[in-house]
Amino acid sequence: MVVYTQEHVYRHPWDRVTAAAWRKFTDPASRTALSHVADVHTLHRRLDPEAGRLQAARSITVRSPPLPFILRRLLPAAASSPSGAALCHCVETSLVDAPRRAMDVVVRNVSLRGLIEVEERSTYRPHPERPEEWTQFRQETTIRCRPLAALAAVAEKVETRCAERFLQNSAKGREVVERICRYLEAEAAGAASSAI
């Protein structure tokens, strides 16, 4: 099993960063950076206006990098392509608590679980030193290669390779959120100057 944690400070306020995080997959300019994301659909969302809380679930389909031959042999034919890549379906659950300025996101794969289990937990909170200006992002990812657990060396190699790809994709996702934050900042500045 591989577990790793990443932290990032967005030099933007919490409300802007969380708005950008929601737009990450739907922003047309993000398609190149997030080319591994094949599809995103909202499964449900529930807003409690009195409590200021939003709960949502989305389905996210991603393309894996080419898998090692041994793993391709373990996949059903429909899940693998000739290139060795696989489609993986995930469910993202999110809880936004606006009064507390907290957003928690959990993503788990629902397909390929007999092969690999991935859980990614992310939090967005105001930065403790500059809570009105910056946002602290923390992400913990756990990857476990199930059928190869008996072959520890092979499982470790597969888990490490997956972790490397997740780290690369995570960096791309942060870049997209940063770009959308800059866009939202410019949009707000333009709206403010046109109101004067």
Side-chain angles (χ1 to χ4, degrees):
M1 176 168 47
V2 172
V3 179
Y4 65 90
T5 302
Q6 301 179 81
E7 293 192 6
H8 179 73
V9 175
Y10 291 100
R11 293 176 184 257
H12 299 276
W14 179 86
D15 58 334
R16 183 179 303 143
V17 172
T18 54
W22 281 106
R23 293 184 183 189
K24 179 170 68 172
F25 296 125
T26 59
D27 181 58
S30 303
R31 289 197 179 107
T32 302
L34 302 177
S35 60
H36 64 287
V37 178
D39 201 17
V40 178
H41 289 285
T42 299
L43 300 173
H44 76 82
R45 71 181 153 234
R46 191 178 91 209
L47 177 64
D48 181 346
E50 291 177 17
R53 292 172 60 131
L54 170 67
Q55 292 180 317
R58 297 194 288 188
S59 162
I60 303 171
T61 303
V62 295
R63 284 182 278 280
S64 76
L67 300 172
F69 178 76
I70 191 167
L71 292 182
R72 280 185 269 162
R73 301 296 297 164
L74 298 172
L75 286 176
S80 181
S81 70
S83 70
L87 284 179
C88 182
H89 304 286
C90 304
V91 172
E92 173 195 82
T93 56
S94 302
L95 175 62
V96 181
D97 188 331
R100 283 187 38 237
R101 295 182 3 171
M103 181 165 134
D104 299 313
V105 181
V106 178
V107 181
R108 291 183 181 98
N109 64 308
V110 292
S111 67
L112 307 179
R113 288 188 68 81
L115 179 63
I116 193 160
E117 291 179 2
V118 178
E119 180 179 271
E120 182 180 272
R121 294 183 169 274
S122 303
T123 60
Y124 297 81
R125 301 286 190 277
H127 192 277
E129 294 172 18
R130 298 180 83 169
E132 300 305 317
E133 301 169 37
W134 294 354
T135 303
Q136 179 74 44
F137 170 75
R138 185 173 195 278
Q139 182 179 64
E140 182 179 287
T141 304
T142 304
I143 301 168
R144 188 170 69 164
C145 189
R146 293 185 57 81
L148 301 178
L151 305 169
V154 175
E156 185 177 340
K157 185 178 255 184
V158 169
E159 291 163 349
T160 300
R161 186 170 176 196
C162 288
E164 289 167 358
R165 181 55 66 125
F166 277 101
L167 286 165
Q168 292 168 359
N169 289 340
S170 218
K172 292 176 187 177
R174 285 192 307 275
E175 290 169 15
V176 167
V177 170
E178 286 281 6
R179 185 185 49 71
I180 295 171
C181 283
R182 289 189 299 274
Y183 169 79
L184 292 172
E185 182 177 39
E187 187 179 71
S193 66
S194 66
I196 295 174

